[in-house]
């Protein structure tokens, strides 16, 4: 109870921050942005730090810059002091843990469903007809997208075997859904109010973000190798370097080979004794000047995937629509152009000169 009251008091204090000077408000905003985007700070750290700064600024009667220096430098110092290696080792190239990534994916899926329900409400009226083909089609799409989301998260957690198994299930689900869609009888079963469907999608989105992230993180956490198995430790290292930290297969194999050679030179020692925790060791190998390039490359892959999906929808709309230029055609055109430009920008960021440096620079 005392802990809950303490947390409640801290939250109230953070929410009541009012900076007397616009200069201090801008400084605080910069610190918060740098902590989140540059240093992948855990949730709540920026609020705690700024509450402390706010209190000292009030007590001393000086500006935040006078007391703590440039906001970028202060954010860097806070990250070095308060963001542990253990926390950073659990995050991927986007600064997300597996739990954060998976819950965000399912929350987004629920939000997209709510938007589609709202559009159907506007275009088709209050009631929506439900048929067996429609049920099979929606179920197939949800299962396939869910498997893809879990596979992506498993890959980012370094669980390559699990990711491949989940990805292999996607075509199986699509094939089964296609077969069932042909076999089930046609005709409407009943009608349901669209607001009920919309509320269900909203509940799914809210429920996804209500699940504690650390619970989902445990689903993807690696179990300690039985009997201090060095082969399992090295296999986990390769998976983390490729999946969580975005290294190429060749880079990851090079680091694993070096670690194996080092172990061979010290017989009797185990990998965990020599290198420590595998997640922290993978982070140390991945840190360095090429980290941003890897993140840009990983973002580019996601952008290209989304671009492909939107392009298919765009082409389908063009083929089905008449010659008039409607709202959806304009929307698809703008989205395709925006995603194309984003993909090009991310490709350029992934090909910066320091991306050509040997990975040993990390």
């Amino acid at each position: 109870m005392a802990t809950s009251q303490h947390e409640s008091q801290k939250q109230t204090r953070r929410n009541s921050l009012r900076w007397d000077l616009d200069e201090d408000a801008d400084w605080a905003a910069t610190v918060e942005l740098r902590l989140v985007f540059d240093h992948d700070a855990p949730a709540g750290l920026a609020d705690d730090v700024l509450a402390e700064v706010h209190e000292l600024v009030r007590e001393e009667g000086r500006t935040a810059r006078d007391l703590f220096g440039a906001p970028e430098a202060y954010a860097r110092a806070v990250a070095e002091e308060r963001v542990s290696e253990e926390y950073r080792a659990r995050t991927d190239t986007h600064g997300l843990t597996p739990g954060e990534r998976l819950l965000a994916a399912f929350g987004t899926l629920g939000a997209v469903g709510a938007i589609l329900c709202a559009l159907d409400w506007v275009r088709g009226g209050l009631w929506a007809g439900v048929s067996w083909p429609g049920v099979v089609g929606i179920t197939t799409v949800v299962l396939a997208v869910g498997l893809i989301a879990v596979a992506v998260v498993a890959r980012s957690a370094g669980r390559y075997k699990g990711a491949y198994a989940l990805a292999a299930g996607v075509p199986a689900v699509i094939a089964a859904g296609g077969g069932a869609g042909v076999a089930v009888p046609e005709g409407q079963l009943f009608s349901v109010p669209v607001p009920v469907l919309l509320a269900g999608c909203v509940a799914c989105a809210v429920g996804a973000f209500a699940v504690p992230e650390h619970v989902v993180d445990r689903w993807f956490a690696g179990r300690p190798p039985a009997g201090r198995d060095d082969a399992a430790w090295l296999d986990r290292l390769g998976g983390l370097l490729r999946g969580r930290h975005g290294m190429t297969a060749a880079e990851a194999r090079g680091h694993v080979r070096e670690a194996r050679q080092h172990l061979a030179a010290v017989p009797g020692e185990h990998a965990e004794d020599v290198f420590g925790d595998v997640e922290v060791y993978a982070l140390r190998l991945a840190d360095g000047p090429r980290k941003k390039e890897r993140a840009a490359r990983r973002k580019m892959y996601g952008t290209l995937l989304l671009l492909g999906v939107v392009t298919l929808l765009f082409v389908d709309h063009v083929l089905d629509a008449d010659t008039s230029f409607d709202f959806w055609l304009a929307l698809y055109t703008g989205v395709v152009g925006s995603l194309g430009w984003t993909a090009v920008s991310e490709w350029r960021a992934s090909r910066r000169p320091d991306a050509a440096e040997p990975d040993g620079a990390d």
Side-chain angles (χ1 to χ4, degrees), residues 84-295:
S84 66
E85 273 191 323
E86 288 73 16
Y87 173 80
R88 292 198 302 122
R90 294 188 292 110
T91 61
D92 58 19
T93 54
H94 298 289
L96 299 174
T97 66
E100 291 171 337
R101 182 179 281 276
L102 185 63
L103 295 178
F106 280 103
T108 302
L109 183 61
V112 170
I115 293 172
L116 293 177
C117 288
L119 292 174
D120 186 68
W121 189 358
V122 172
R123 293 185 299 178
L126 180 62
W127 294 87
V130 178
S131 63
W132 278 118
V135 171
V136 171
I138 293 175
T139 302
T140 301
V141 170
V142 171
L143 286 176
V145 173
L147 283 174
I148 292 172
V150 178
V152 170
V153 174
R155 183 177 183 273
S156 70
R159 298 296 173 189
Y160 262 78
K161 293 180 180 178
Y164 288 145
L166 291 165
V170 174
V173 167
I174 294 175
V182 174
V184 296
E186 298 283 348
Q188 181 172 309
L189 296 173
F190 54 87
S191 296
V192 62
V194 177
V196 172
L197 300 177
L198 191 151
C201 292
V202 171
C204 290
V206 173
F209 289 108
V211 175
E213 295 160 356
H214 64 86
V215 173
V216 184
D217 285 338
R218 286 201 296 267
W219 299 347
F220 296 93
R223 295 179 180 178
R228 302 168 80 182
D229 186 350
D230 290 342
W233 192 97
L234 292 169
D235 183 66
R236 176 72 173 146
L237 174 64
L240 288 169
L241 292 176
R242 291 186 62 192
R244 180 167 293 175
H245 299 291
M247 284 190 183
T248 64
E251 290 174 328
R253 283 197 300 267
H255 284 300
V256 172
R257 183 171 56 252
E258 290 176 2
R260 184 179 292 110
Q261 291 171 349
H262 186 82
L263 285 175
V266 285
E269 295 288 343
H270 292 282
E272 190 170 355
D273 297 328
V274 176
F275 302 109
D277 181 79
V278 64
E279 293 191 343
V280 174
Y281 185 67
L283 170 70
R284 292 170 180 171
L285 292 175
D287 268 345
R290 297 192 60 186
K291 184 176 181 179
K292 291 184 178 180
E293 283 69 29
R294 294 192 192 101

